[in-house]
Amino acid sequence: MVETKSIPESEKWKKEHIFSSEEAWKRSYEEVSTRIDDIKHYQGNITNAKELLTYLTKGEEISQKYSKLYVYAMLSHDEDTRVAESQARLSKVQQLGVKLSSATSFFTPFLLSLDEQTLSTYIKQEEGLQYFEEDLFDTYRYKEHVLSAEQEALLSEMGEALQAPRNTYGMINNADITFGYITNDQGEKERLTRGKYALLSKSSDREKRKEAYKAYYEPYIGLHNTIGSTLSAAVKNNVKLTKLRNYPSALEKALFGDKVPKEVYETLIQAAHKGKEALHAYTKERKKILNVNELRPYDLGVPLVEGVKYDISYDEAYEMMLKALSPLGEDYVSQLKEMKAAGVIDVHETPGKRSGAYNIGVYGVHPYVLLNHRNDLDSLFTLTHEMGHAMHSYYSNKHQPHITAGYSIFVAEVASTVNEVLLMHHLIDHEKDDKKRRYLLHHFIDQFKGTFFTQVMFAEFEKIVHEKAEKEEPLNASAFNEVYEELFGSYHGESLELGDEVKYGWSRIPHFYRPFYVYKYATGYASAIHIADRLLKGDEETKNNYLEFLKSGSSDYPLSLLKRTGVDLEEGEPIRNALNVFSGLVKEFSKE
């Protein structure tokens, strides 16, 4: 962990690119708050095309200003989650978001009260409405899922309360959680941190891995009833909203916005089950190489090729990434070079900083990327992954108007994972040392396992627990334990002895508070393998189509955008191809 004061300014966010000062943020906050009050007056007062255009124009302006307020507050909070002032600012802007949602909640019911012919007439009368035309007509897809204006307003007012389980878990997992003790190299006891756990989980010393594993799970086991309560509330809230909005299931509600058939989700899970044999073979090979009587979960992270260690500084990682991504063209690489010192990336793990990594785009400014770089191979891949998101944000914001600049999470994971796959091929293809090449091959397998199989396992967990809630079956920590343990064992095979901690694994997964999100990692990975393979063959048409895809934002539905790159997830071939790749990797690794 690095002290904040020792970090170069080029490796920190420049939040002043959003607001020059906290005072400027406060002034904008007051402006948005006032304008939200003003926009309320449009309820019941949109009677012609001109008034419709005025409302929509003002609404978009407020939305864009609010986004900047929110991102600034979120970045400030995530730099150090312990700071009360930052917590208060984020809470304040979240409350403003509820107020904005409430003030505009009347519009969808109003729009759906108009017949489509009337809307067409309005658009012909006011030229400016053509900018909003596609979104307006798309709203009619939701007609049977939209409530009355009064009910929508009430739900909007409940927004903050409905987000309470997610927010509570976030505070537990980031600010309050305290891991158990481990023994350092001097024989002294010290607290485990996430960064230390990431390193110790790869240690060749099995006792150290075991000690770190138990210290990591200690708080989650101790808090499993509390966390179980938050997750149960989140799932039940989602199921209740599903019923209120007249969707057949929580899964179909989640897929509706992207226009993804539930069969894509179900086919993904079915394909993963059919491909589990290769994963079981890999687990068996791991047990054999480690030469242990019982393979345990704390053995799953240790590299199987000894004597290889990567110490990759942030600067070195950035250069390696740039070389690996050269198949994407000169413009892509040059933009990445500019981002390095442009205040886009907060690089290092510091006290109180939010864990993990993410990208968030700010329209009219630039993307912001959070990292916790630890000078290892995983950090190189995380950097490459998040900069894929950042470049997607950059291209979409540059080439799309505000209304279609924001892309779906579904396609976002393609943009990030293409980068990862290109990096992996680059590293393997340029490695002359046999041991290091074998190490990279093993890393590719583990990356595949984590990005595909683990995410599908999570997706199946979500599906099962939501179905339990829909059937009004008990949903608590005990139920979560049972489902998670069964799935973990099923995916990893009989060569793994689960132990007592595994069943609590659900309690450490923040993505479960964003229902039916993680499956997109798996579909993105399968799509990325397909696209990267053609890029590496120098297919100029694929490169051009892919860059256009990155520039497309949400100008079409995700599956349609992907089809333009040659990926058809409804047919399922990219998923089957990806599983064949994994099987081939395992066979190659087992032979060497």
Side-chain angles (χ1 to χ4, degrees), residues 19 54 497-498:
F19 290 103
T54 303
E497 295 290 333
L498 299 184

Side-chain angles (χ1 to χ4, degrees), residues 279-395:
L279 182 56
H280 292 177
Y282 176 56
T283 305
K284 187 176 181 180
E285 183 70 13
R286 174 174 283 277
K287 181 179 179 181
K288 174 185 171 184
I289 292 173
L290 292 178
N291 192 27
V292 292
N293 292 328
E294 292 183 343
L295 187 73
R296 295 285 184 173
Y298 48 79
D299 298 318
L300 296 178
V302 60
L304 297 180
V305 183
E306 295 182 0
V308 177
K309 186 176 180 181
Y310 283 85
D311 185 6
I312 308 170
S313 71
Y314 173 65
D315 286 337
E316 290 170 332
Y318 215 95
E319 286 304 312
M320 292 169 79
M321 174 185 69
L322 293 175
K323 291 177 183 176
L325 301 183
S326 61
L328 292 172
E330 185 179 339
D331 183 69
Y332 191 99
V333 173
S334 66
Q335 292 302 327
L336 276 176
K337 287 179 181 177
E338 289 184 17
M339 284 185 183
K340 187 170 186 283
V344 170
I345 311 168
D346 195 271
V347 178
H348 301 284
E349 183 183 23
T350 54
K353 184 178 175 180
R354 174 174 166 165
S355 63
Y358 65 70
N359 161 78
I360 187 165
V362 184
Y363 195 82
V365 185
H366 56 67
Y368 284 85
V369 174
L370 178 137
L371 300 175
N372 281 278
H373 194 84
R374 297 175 184 132
N375 289 4
D376 57 13
L377 194 63
D378 284 340
S379 294
L380 168 61
F381 275 96
T382 299
L383 167 67
T384 306
H385 179 102
E386 296 304 334
M387 296 313 291
H389 287 310
M391 287 300 295
H392 197 181
S393 296
Y394 165 78
Y395 276 125

Side-chain angles (χ1 to χ4, degrees), residues 80-94:
D80 190 341
T81 60
R82 304 168 301 176
V83 178
E85 184 181 353
S86 297
Q87 294 173 11
R89 185 189 295 112
L90 183 59
S91 177
K92 186 177 179 181
V93 80
Q94 286 171 337

